[in-house]
Amino acid sequence: MVDIELPQAMVALQLGVYFVRLRVVEHVRAHGPVGGWSPDVDAEGARLQQACEASEAALGKAIEESGLEREHGRRAVRRALMAAAAPQVHGGCDCP
């Protein structure tokens, strides 16, 4: 894998995306199939989904503005971001 110098702010955005996605997953697990949700649970799910989309958009914009995708390619940048964020996500473990 190519060694890509990533700005720490971009790694922080990647972590933010991961944790927002995790909250969406946990919300669905806690409340079961969407069809059975109350209006309050549904509203919370929608809020979490919007937060996830906003977080992903912020990361995408940061990647685009950095020029790293043009230099290294989208897949290489995404892999480097995931690798840089992994120790913080997994508590210091290098596991996938």
Side-chain angles (χ1 to χ4, degrees):
M1 183 165 90
V2 177
D3 190 25
I4 301 173
E5 188 74 28
L6 297 169
Q8 193 57 36
M10 195 178 298
V11 175
L13 285 171
Q14 176 66 49
L15 283 167
V17 167
Y18 174 80
F19 288 118
V20 171
R21 285 179 183 164
L22 185 59
R23 288 199 314 260
V24 171
V25 169
E26 289 172 346
H27 182 76
V28 172
R29 280 186 188 153
H31 298 287
V34 175
W37 288 2
S38 70
D40 289 342
V41 172
D42 190 43
E44 177 64 10
R47 187 191 67 72
L48 289 169
Q49 182 62 36
Q50 288 172 345
C52 187
E53 291 169 4
S55 184
E56 290 171 345
L59 176 61
K61 182 178 178 187
I63 291 170
E64 184 180 321
E65 289 175 351
S66 74
L68 289 170
E69 262 188 15
R70 287 186 298 277
E71 186 177 341
H72 300 286
R74 175 176 295 189
R75 186 173 291 166
V77 172
R78 296 290 178 164
R79 284 183 179 164
L81 276 168
M82 290 186 336
Q88 296 170 56
V89 170
H90 299 290
C93 167
D94 287 332
C95 11

